[in-house]
Amino acid sequence: MPTNTSTRLNGQFALVTGASSGIGAAVAVALAAHGAAVVVNYSHDEDGANATVKTIADAGGQAYATQADVSQEAEVQKMFKQAIERWGTLHIVVANAGIQVDAPFLDMTLEQWQKVIDVNLTGQFLTLREAAREFVRRGPQPDLSRALGKLICMSSVHEVIPWAGHVNYASSKGGIMQLMKSTAQELAPHKIRVNSIAPGAIATPINLSARDTPEEEKALLTLIPYNRVGDPADIGNLAAWLASDEADYITGQTIFMDGGMTLYPGFADNG
Ligand code: BGC
């Protein structure tokens, strides 16, 4: 996957949840390409996580894979403890792990609702909290980073675009918006930066069913003024920049990276 390289994250330790595939894998690879050592978290897909680690190692980077279900407090705490024992600390944490369990609203079960909220929203809370605790415990390292630590939430265009048939998912992403902003407000005095990336349609397994025939891809592209589906590396490179000192004055923001999906393309020739 195409990824720029630089030394802007040299000497920093990063953790990316849900890095066994898709956007998480691309973010892990990009952080490593910019010099960070990366903990590659996965929930079920050990082979995928090992492939991410191998991609990083083959490019000369440092990474290891670790299993944890981000919705389980004890598993998240264990993952952070291990990372800190191994590497001493963390500087960049990307709360990326997320799932879709789609169902029409009238048929959505409590289990379908709860599962998505647990992984996508509670999982990000637990990840952010453990990370922030470690940043505060460790204290400043100004030679490595102006900020005490950098937190990035993986949101979605669906933090603002309503999505019928995906009410649990859209609700989780709307929740991530306030999780991110309120956390950013509270942690800014500690010099911890908290931001979100809100991807549109990126070519990953999560949306394969929306683009695996030419007709579906054509329908999807009507929602994207820039007329291409995003590449996971687009998001990876943004995450690497957002975690760097070049973005040191950005906190509490959602950066949409969506080829214009949030520009309400239906209004281009209507309304
Ligand atoms: C979803 C994808 C979808 C995209 C744009 C993402 O958050 O996970 O399935 O293609 O939003 O609708």
Side-chain angles (χ1 to χ4, degrees), residues 40-180:
V40 173
N41 159 258
Y42 68 97
S43 169
H44 304 295
D45 183 6
E46 187 176 2
D47 290 348
N50 287 337
T52 305
V53 169
K54 185 171 184 315
T55 303
I56 292 171
D58 287 351
Q62 199 185 345
Y64 73 88
T66 189
Q67 195 279 332
D69 174 345
V70 294
S71 70
Q72 302 301 313
E73 183 176 33
E75 294 186 32
V76 175
Q77 288 179 326
K78 188 168 160 219
M79 172 173 71
F80 273 85
K81 190 164 177 282
Q82 281 173 345
I84 293 154
E85 277 168 9
R86 193 157 166 163
W87 282 345
T89 190
L90 292 162
H91 305 91
I92 300 162
V93 172
V94 183
N96 166 81
I99 55 170
Q100 279 182 227
V101 183
D102 305 330
F105 185 69
L106 296 180
D107 301 331
M108 188 175 284
T109 63
L110 177 59
E111 197 184 359
Q112 289 170 324
W113 166 267
Q114 196 66 55
K115 179 78 187 155
V116 171
I117 297 297
D118 284 351
V119 173
N120 295 12
L121 185 56
T122 306
Q124 291 212 7
F125 159 68
L126 292 170
T127 304
L128 262 51
R129 191 192 60 182
E130 292 314 304
R133 285 175 173 171
E134 169 53 19
F135 299 159
V136 170
R137 181 202 68 79
R138 182 241 304 139
Q141 292 184 324
D143 292 348
L144 285 177
S145 167
R146 292 183 76 180
L148 190 70
K150 286 71 61 101
L151 298 172
I152 298 176
C153 299
M154 203 53 67
S155 184
S156 162
V157 290
H158 298 295
E159 79 168 43
V160 294
I161 301 179
W163 206 15
H166 311 259
V167 167
N168 47 1
Y169 182 85
S171 300
S172 73
K173 296 300 181 177
I176 286 168
M177 177 177 65
Q178 280 298 349
L179 168 67
M180 179 277 288

